[in-house]
Amino acid sequence: MNNNNEQHILQVEHLQKNYGDHKVLRDISFNINQGEIMTIIGPSGGGKSTMLRCINLLEEPTGGKILFHGNNILDPKFDLNTYRSKVGMVFQQFNLFNNKNVLQNCMIGQEMVLGRSKSEAKETAIKNLKKVGMDSFIDAKPSQLSGGQQQRVAIARAISMDPEVLLFDEPTSALDPEMVGEVLNTMSNLAKTGLTMAIVTHEMGFARDISDKVLFMSDGVIAEQGTPDQIFNHPQEEKTQKFLRNFRREQF
Amino acid sequence: MKSKTTWLTALMAIILSLFIGLHFTSNQAQAASKEPVLKIGMEANYPPYNWTQTTDANGAVPIDGSKQFANGYDVQIAKIIGKKLHRRVVVEKTQWDGLLPALTSGKIDLIIAGMSPTAERRKAINFSNPYRKSTFVVIVNKASKYATAKNLQDFKGAKLTAQQGTLHYDLIKQLKGAKREPAMRDFSAMRQSLSSGTIDGYVAEDIEYESYHRVNPNIVAVNLNKMSGFTVPADDSITSIGVKKGNTKLLNSVNDVLAGISTQKRNQLMATAIKEQPKAGSSSSTSTKKENWFMAIMRQYGGMILGGVGMTLLLALVGTAAGFFIGLLVGIVRTIPTPKSTGKKWGLKIVDWILAVYIEVFRGTPMMVQAAVIYYGIAQLWHLNLNRTVAALVIVSINTGAYLAEVIRGGINATAKGQFEAASALGMTHSQQMWHIILPQAIKNCLPSITNEFIVNIKDTSVLSIISVSELFFVGTTVASQTFEFFQTYFIISMIYLILTFSITRIFNFIERKLEGPKNYNLMANQLQVQDPKETGFEHEQ
């Protein structure tokens, strides 16, 4: 799995997305490398979530290319379901399967898509539920859990598929403030395992501490990108500076 | 020119011979399969001509598809015909309006139902020589001012009615100044209306007067035939046996048999029928032990009513279950996302359009009409004799399917979009998402609507009485017409309906609550359970 010759897992080239006349993504290009933690920050409505959702084709891009290990995923012959099983996603609204309990939520993808046996799927699920501290809730239904607990199960569900990349779409935005910490902790622990992650977030402190690379998106373009130090301590663009100033005022 | 005409003639000849051949063979096949049975169509609800009874007493004949028997003047005539033709007589209990279609579609061999061979009916079917001549009367209450009417004009202002689809109803037009009330379904309803005063009288034959007079001495018959200016076509004052057009052989044999029954024998049969016909227990029994009407009805007709409950439940249960699966299938197909390849896209579009038409047609027409069209239509067009219970089940299922298809489509569309997205993000295919994630949730959400449909089905299957399925309402009508205890019978029937719908609502509510599950997760209680399988699981691994 660890192919060191192939540094880029994902290459996004000139990605565009229109809803009618409204251009949400104008021209987006970036790479995600093996083992890299990338965060995407920026004002609301800047196209961050849309960009992330384009990567696993929950939104159909209007133009551009997305290459996965060099293969264009927009090619009609591309095996989309296999691709999606290798690119996990964690949603803002958790989206746990309401009709399944915690354990089943983490098993169904492994069984249906990866073709793992029941016992293998169960073992993997329990191992990952332990990682997120939810192993004592395996019989609970999603409606019986708090938001933070649901999101941790959603993370366990995603990593049970052994993905190459994990996408996080504002994973803490729908949570009560006291639950944000538990989810961010889980994510930090995950980052240390060497998993490649792309995170859309409004948690600036978290983004600064965890990232290898930060993208600042605004008005459908990447206004600035660089290391956390470059973006948070020495932002070049006026938009970035203004955005971060507002955040500082709020946080401190 | 010449060659063209020869070709055309040849073609015509081929088509004609094919048609005749098919017609002939199908007729033959039908005749052969029914050899020992002579199916007689009648209402079995028009004493003394014909009525329903629960035993085979007094030479009654079994009614097809039920445990009941028919008897009466018509039945006795039918038995004589059957004996001479060496065929076993079976009665097909059919509503008045269904008699002609039943005959033309070949579901019955003869109509012997006190029917007059009117010119209109002669267009559709053939009639035998008469087996009964009758006089027309207006039946009124003795105390009524119309009881002494001498002229047709004397009925001025009288509210009169007659049976739906009969000549009697048209005769009211000759009574100048009389108010023609809406026609009624059967004589029992008219008797009830007369005694309750909602009408002043009804037009019928002398025979109806004689029967009714036996149980209600407070009525008189005003003879219309003697009044000046009253005209009835010769055909209309007689009753004849209906035979399908083209079946000359059967018609001739029936006429031969009828010729052998003397007038004296006929009068004797009619007198016996009037004596044996079911009597209204109301006038005698209710006055002596009034509190027992419920027990009286249940004792005599309990089995019949229970059978009706069974049939109603069967129709509603099977109809809702089968309708659910039809609805599920249609709902799933109609929510398939548009495929990318153009061929598949068009295929799906066409299927979708067909399903939309199906839903529109079956939601947009009354089930009663669908039942009549399907049941009689299939028989008439393809000579396929559907069992009426099977036909009823099919109709209820298709009808329910059309409603539930939309309910389930709504349920699928109402399932949170995030559920689809999360499943897609795991790499699950559309059908995996549907079966494992979406449908279990959608069906759960649809459960109240499905319960609703079930309850509607319990009540609405009553319209299937049009094809004479002996469900609860049909049984109720029969019981009411025999006991003349309309209020009591329909009260019992309505209570049964209420009990059925009430219990089903409770059962479904219970299921809903079970599916909902508890709101809280008891960590302590579950931790113990959790620990066990996990540990055993690891032990197996090691």
Side-chain angles (χ1 to χ4, degrees):
Chain A
M1 202 179 96
N2 280 329
N3 189 346
N4 288 326
N5 300 333
E6 180 58 80
Q7 278 287 305
H8 301 318
I9 292 184
L10 271 168
Q11 292 164 271
V12 176
E13 296 175 0
H14 309 295
L15 186 68
Q16 290 174 30
K17 175 68 186 175
N18 306 337
Y19 292 110
D21 289 336
H22 180 53
K23 290 183 178 170
V24 181
L25 301 180
R26 289 166 193 275
D27 185 0
I28 304 279
S29 299
F30 64 89
N31 300 326
I32 300 178
N33 298 329
Q34 181 75 50
E36 193 173 54
I37 311 291
M38 183 179 92
T39 51
I40 301 121
I41 59 168
S44 295
K48 304 186 299 295
S49 287
T50 307
M51 191 272 286
L52 205 68
R53 291 163 61 85
C54 279
I55 291 179
N56 67 357
L57 293 194
L58 287 179
E59 302 287 345
E60 189 102 10
T62 322
K65 266 190 203 169
I66 299 172
L67 303 178
F68 180 65
H69 292 300
N71 301 316
N72 187 4
I73 69 164
L74 298 173
D75 189 330
K77 284 176 225 143
F78 189 81
D79 182 358
L80 190 60
N81 288 329
T82 308
Y83 166 70
R84 279 173 168 165
S85 71
K86 290 176 185 167
V87 180
M89 178 111 174
V90 175
F91 298 87
Q92 185 178 351
Q93 299 293 342
F94 334 127
N95 294 348
L96 289 182
F97 302 132
N98 294 323
N99 59 322
K100 307 266 179 216
N101 66 23
V102 166
L103 185 63
Q104 290 164 336
N105 260 284
C106 298
M107 284 170 65
I108 186 160
Q110 300 183 60
E111 290 179 77
M112 297 272 128
V113 184
L114 304 180
R116 287 182 184 161
S117 72
K118 215 179 177 73
S119 57
E120 192 187 356
K122 189 174 174 183
E123 200 187 318
T124 313
I126 290 176
K127 183 184 81 194
N128 288 315
L129 281 167
K130 245 182 197 158
K131 275 190 199 166
V132 300
M134 287 300 292
D135 54 326
S136 50
F137 289 88
I138 57 172
D139 285 329
K141 282 288 180 75
S143 59
Q144 297 168 327
L145 301 177
S146 73
Q149 290 172 325
Q150 289 193 49
Q151 194 61 298
R152 283 190 279 153
V153 174
I155 292 170
R157 174 175 71 181
I159 56 177
S160 291
M161 300 292 286
D162 294 325
E164 295 183 34
V165 187
L166 197 48
L167 311 174
F168 292 84
D169 184 9
E170 303 197 27
T172 56
S173 298
L175 294 177
D176 291 338
E178 76 265 25
M179 293 172 185
V180 171
E182 61 184 82
V183 172
L184 293 183
N185 267 341
T186 308
M187 290 168 68
S188 305
N189 291 337
L190 213 55
K192 287 172 198 151
T193 64
L195 184 67
T196 313
M197 291 160 64
I199 307 163
V200 171
T201 185
H202 288 292
E203 300 293 330
M204 292 307 142
F206 172 73
R208 186 186 53 208
D209 297 341
I210 199 177
S211 309
D212 298 315
K213 178 157 77 184
V214 180
L215 303 191
F216 176 77
M217 270 185 77
S218 176
D219 299 325
V221 293
I222 297 172
E224 196 170 349
Q225 59 177 307
T227 63
D229 182 55
Q230 285 169 336
I231 299 293
F232 289 104
N233 301 331
H234 314 287
Q236 303 299 310
E237 299 289 323
E238 199 190 327
K239 274 182 187 169
T240 321
Q241 292 163 356
K242 199 177 156 209
F243 174 76
L244 289 172
R245 248 199 321 277
N246 287 339
F247 258 96
R248 290 234 165 75
R249 204 173 297 144
E250 254 173 50
Q251 277 186 346
F252 306 110
Chain B
M1 258 319 262
K2 204 181 169 189
S3 68
K4 216 178 205 175
T5 32
T6 11
W7 270 108
L8 260 173
T9 332
L11 198 72
M12 290 285 275
I14 291 169
I15 291 171
L16 205 68
S17 60
L18 260 175
F19 185 74
I20 291 169
L22 276 173
H23 201 73
F24 187 67
T25 45
S26 72
N27 266 0
Q28 244 185 355
Q30 250 179 337
S33 65
K34 283 180 192 166
E35 185 79 297
V37 187
L38 186 64
K39 291 191 174 181
I40 311 291
M42 61 178 66
E43 290 175 282
N45 208 2
Y46 180 32
Y49 281 96
N50 50 67
W51 68 79
T52 309
Q53 58 188 49
T54 47
T55 65
D56 62 353
N58 300 326
V61 158
I63 293 175
D64 191 29
S66 78
K67 289 198 179 96
Q68 297 158 27
F69 297 86
N71 208 346
Y73 180 70
D74 288 334
V75 174
Q76 295 311 320
I77 294 284
K79 278 175 74 178
I80 295 173
I81 295 170
K83 201 171 176 187
K84 289 273 160 61
L85 301 183
H86 304 290
R87 288 170 75 170
R88 189 166 55 86
V89 172
V90 166
V91 167
E92 291 288 332
K93 187 172 176 169
T94 311
Q95 288 205 344
W96 182 255
D97 295 329
L99 282 169
L100 256 64
L103 184 68
T104 52
S105 62
K107 286 187 180 296
I108 54 175
D109 300 311
L110 295 173
I111 297 175
I112 310 183
M115 187 180 269
S116 296
T118 58
E120 238 169 58
R121 290 188 195 128
R122 277 185 192 280
K123 282 180 202 157
I125 60 173
N126 282 339
F127 279 100
S128 70
N129 295 329
Y131 68 99
R132 177 83 201 164
K133 288 194 170 82
S134 49
T135 317
F136 293 101
V137 296
V138 181
I139 295 175
V140 295
N141 284 319
K142 207 180 256 174
S144 157
K145 63 172 175 173
Y146 304 107
T148 54
K150 294 279 180 297
N151 298 304
L152 296 177
Q153 287 77 12
D154 290 346
F155 286 100
K156 192 164 184 196
K159 286 185 277 182
L160 299 181
T161 187
Q163 192 179 14
Q164 196 176 17
T166 61
L167 156 80
H168 308 160
Y169 194 60
D170 290 330
L171 290 179
I172 302 175
K173 285 183 194 158
Q174 295 191 34
L175 309 174
K176 293 270 155 17
K179 286 184 199 139
R180 204 158 73 132
E181 298 289 307
M184 294 194 181
R185 282 177 90 84
D186 50 36
F187 279 96
S188 1
M190 285 182 268
R191 290 178 180 188
Q192 180 72 12
S193 305
L194 182 62
S195 63
S196 65
T198 51
I199 55 168
D200 291 317
Y202 59 93
V203 176
E205 288 163 27
D206 52 347
I207 207 77
E208 159 65 9
Y209 165 71
E210 279 172 43
S211 326
Y212 192 23
H213 189 68
R214 293 173 70 88
V215 293
N216 182 1
N218 293 324
I219 55 147
V220 290
V222 182
N223 193 321
L224 290 176
N225 287 52
K226 286 177 188 160
M227 291 185 181
S228 66
F230 185 73
T231 50
V232 186
D235 280 351
D236 293 338
S237 53
I238 53 174
T239 40
S240 293
I241 297 173
V243 187
K244 190 179 177 181
K245 278 202 170 170
N247 202 345
T248 336
K249 202 178 136 206
L250 183 61
L251 182 64
N252 290 338
S253 348
V254 167
N255 276 333
D256 286 346
V257 177
L258 287 180
I261 310 174
S262 66
T263 319
Q264 200 192 350
K265 173 84 175 162
R266 293 180 194 193
N267 286 340
Q268 187 205 323
L269 285 176
M270 184 51 94
T272 320
I274 290 173
K275 220 182 288 165
E276 287 171 354
Q277 67 182 309
K279 292 176 190 71
S282 53
S283 51
S284 54
S285 71
T286 44
S287 53
T288 47
K289 30 180 185 174
K290 202 167 186 173
E291 72 285 356
N292 256 350
W293 58 265
F294 175 78
M295 288 313 292
I297 289 178
M298 289 316 278
R299 190 166 6 93
Q300 204 175 349
Y301 299 100
M304 223 162 115
I305 292 174
L306 213 63
V309 171
M311 179 58 83
T312 292
L313 274 180
L314 176 79
L315 287 175
L317 199 69
V318 174
T320 311
F324 170 71
F325 283 108
I326 295 173
L328 196 61
L329 211 68
V330 175
I332 290 170
V333 171
R334 296 198 80 197
T335 49
I336 292 177
T338 352
K340 277 183 184 154
S341 86
T342 36
K344 275 187 193 167
K345 199 188 280 178
W346 278 102
L348 188 69
K349 241 181 196 172
I350 290 164
V351 172
D352 201 65
W353 183 81
I354 292 170
L355 293 178
V357 169
Y358 156 67
I359 291 168
E360 286 299 328
V361 166
F362 281 88
R363 278 200 317 179
T365 54
M367 186 155 79
M368 199 176 200
V369 179
Q370 293 162 16
V373 168
I374 293 176
Y375 182 62
Y376 294 119
I378 286 179
Q380 208 144 349
L381 292 177
W382 294 291
H383 299 286
L384 256 173
N385 207 342
L386 274 180
N387 176 300
R388 61 188 67 183
T389 309
V390 173
L393 287 173
V394 169
I395 290 156
V396 182
S397 305
I398 294 178
N399 195 281
T400 311
Y403 279 94
L404 288 185
E406 287 300 275
V407 167
I408 287 168
R409 190 169 70 102
I412 291 170
N413 288 341
T415 307
K417 210 170 154 246
Q419 299 285 310
F420 284 97
E421 289 185 348
S424 298
L426 287 179
M428 289 166 77
T429 62
H430 177 73
S431 63
Q432 286 173 338
Q433 295 176 24
M434 271 319 216
W435 287 112
H436 296 277
I437 308 297
I438 306 302
L439 285 178
Q441 297 184 42
I443 290 167
K444 198 179 114 187
N445 293 339
C446 290
L447 214 55
S449 303
I450 294 168
T451 314
N452 209 24
E453 195 58 35
F454 197 175
I455 284 165
V456 166
N457 273 346
I458 286 189
K459 295 183 297 167
D460 280 10
T461 44
S462 59
V463 305
L464 293 170
S465 58
I466 186 116
I467 57 168
S468 310
V469 178
S470 50
E471 44 68 52
L472 188 53
F473 175 74
F474 190 73
V475 167
T477 315
T478 309
V479 173
S481 71
Q482 285 175 20
T483 59
F484 300 106
E485 296 187 322
F486 278 74
F487 168 72
Q488 290 90 329
T489 309
Y490 284 122
F491 182 72
I492 292 175
I493 299 294
S494 65
M495 289 322 278
I496 295 175
Y497 273 119
L498 197 61
I499 291 167
L500 289 182
T501 52
F502 184 82
S503 2
I504 281 158
T505 317
R506 299 303 113 167
I507 292 169
F508 271 79
N509 284 355
F510 176 75
I511 296 173
E512 265 174 57
R513 248 177 296 136
K514 275 274 149 195
L515 284 178
E516 200 60 53
K519 277 268 172 281
N520 296 313
Y521 183 66
N522 189 337
L523 193 58
M524 295 312 285
N526 281 279
Q527 218 161 11
L528 292 170
Q529 286 176 1
V530 166
Q531 226 69 31
D532 279 337
K534 220 179 13 175
E535 270 167 12
T536 50
F538 280 122
E539 271 164 33
H540 280 300
E541 289 300 314
Q542 292 154 356

